[in-house]
Amino acid sequence: TTAAGINGDSFSVGGFFFDSVDARIAHRAPSGRVELLVRQGEQRDYLVKGAYLFDPDRREARIADLTVRFDTTLWKLTHEAQVRWRPDAIEVADLELRNGSNGRIYANGDLPRHGEARLDVAVDNFQTGDLLDLLESDFELTGLATLHATVRGSLTSPRLNGAFGLVSGVYRGTSVPDLHGTFQYANRSLTANVDAVRSGNLAMAHVEAHIPVDLSIGVPGTPGGGPKQRLLDAPLAVDINADSLPLELIPYLTDALE
């Protein structure tokens, strides 16, 4: 058995900067246990506890505890979850986090390289500002985001269906209309329908978009981990029907129009 402890501060990984890290690892081939606490500023920290297995034909992570804190918001794993990846598939088994009120992050299913995938993903009432802080982005958008999606097909030829929304949005101090939409993806084509509504559920705009894009992905440990170019060289169409759409957000997005 090999045991190790790591403690450090002021470091970066993949362009993300962290204030401190405290890790404990106990390994006895082919498996082990790990505890990891990472702090990112005074308002964000992440705790992971679990076990792992590295086998030539199977790799598995059993997550016993996953806690993410954004200022006063605390997201916690509701029960043990498992993530497995093999040369021919990725599997997520019943991963669920809740924030103590009505917030939820959920994923369950498998994504085979060939054959039929069955993956369900749900995100309810997630504060977009927390995600942008995690990504260290300077995009100044807050609001509650919701996403429900199902994935079928395979990793190399996925099919997606779902719905999404953003309510109580604010961009750089200006209120954003509530957004509700649906999307479908198949055969390297994404179709989305989005409605923008003001308070009282009065329609302000409807957008329909057809985007040629390749969303296929590869499997870790296999050659060709996905397409080099996502946006395809093919016609793109966006239709917008608007009525009394406020324009105060435009100067924040482009200086070409006032």
Side-chain angles (χ1 to χ4, degrees):
T1 301
T2 302
I6 302 173
N7 188 279
D9 57 44
S10 302
F11 69 101
S12 66
V13 177
F16 295 94
F17 293 89
F18 303 95
D19 289 330
S20 66
V21 60
D22 189 346
R24 299 288 183 269
I25 301 172
H27 179 77
R28 184 176 182 178
S31 62
R33 298 191 60 83
V34 62
E35 294 185 12
L36 177 65
L37 173 62
V38 178
R39 287 192 170 90
Q40 188 181 27
E42 297 181 355
Q43 298 182 333
R44 298 182 297 278
D45 50 58
Y46 323 106
L47 171 67
V48 180
K49 295 181 181 180
Y52 61 85
L53 169 68
F54 286 100
D55 185 89
D57 297 323
R58 184 183 64 167
R59 298 178 181 180
E60 177 181 296
R62 296 191 302 274
I63 307 171
D65 185 13
L66 175 59
T67 303
V68 181
R69 181 181 68 88
F70 299 104
D71 195 9
T72 59
T73 304
L74 193 68
W75 291 84
K76 288 185 66 66
L77 197 68
T78 58
H79 49 261
E80 182 179 279
Q82 296 183 0
V83 180
R84 307 181 186 94
W85 57 102
R86 308 183 304 274
D88 62 343
I90 300 172
E91 181 181 354
V92 180
D94 207 18
L95 175 67
E96 183 181 54
L97 292 93
R98 290 186 177 269
N99 69 356
S101 56
N102 56 357
R104 180 177 183 246
I105 301 172
Y106 177 78
N108 183 69
D110 64 284
L111 291 170
R113 185 171 179 80
H114 303 288
E116 189 71 7
R118 295 190 62 85
L119 177 66
D120 298 309
V121 177
V123 178
D124 294 303
N125 299 304
F126 192 93
Q127 178 54 252
T128 58
D130 291 341
L131 177 61
L132 294 174
D133 286 344
L134 175 63
L135 299 177
E136 298 180 347
S137 171
D138 58 1
F139 192 72
E140 302 175 25
L141 175 68
T142 62
L144 294 176
T146 296
L147 169 68
H148 287 234
T150 61
V151 183
R152 299 294 183 263
S154 65
L155 285 172
T156 54
S157 183
R159 304 190 308 275
L160 290 80
N161 286 278
F164 60 90
L166 176 70
V167 298
S168 304
V170 176
Y171 178 67
R172 298 182 64 177
T174 301
S175 295
V176 176
D178 289 349
L179 303 176
H180 305 282
T182 61
F183 62 90
Q184 302 85 35
Y185 171 83
N187 301 320
R188 302 200 302 173
S189 177
L190 175 66
T191 299
N193 289 273
V194 184
D195 290 303
V197 300
R198 60 169 69 89
S199 58
N201 292 325
L202 298 176
M204 303 172 67
H206 175 78
V207 180
E208 182 174 338
H210 300 273
I211 304 170
V213 61
D214 190 344
L215 298 182
S216 63
I217 58 177
V219 177
T222 61
K228 294 182 179 179
Q229 185 66 36
R230 293 291 181 183
L231 190 62
L232 303 177
D233 185 13
L236 178 149
V238 179
D239 296 319
I240 303 175
N241 290 305
D243 181 5
S244 304
L245 184 68
L247 302 181
E248 61 263 26
L249 288 172
I250 290 180
Y252 293 131
L253 303 175
T254 175
D255 58 5
L257 183 66
E258 294 181 357

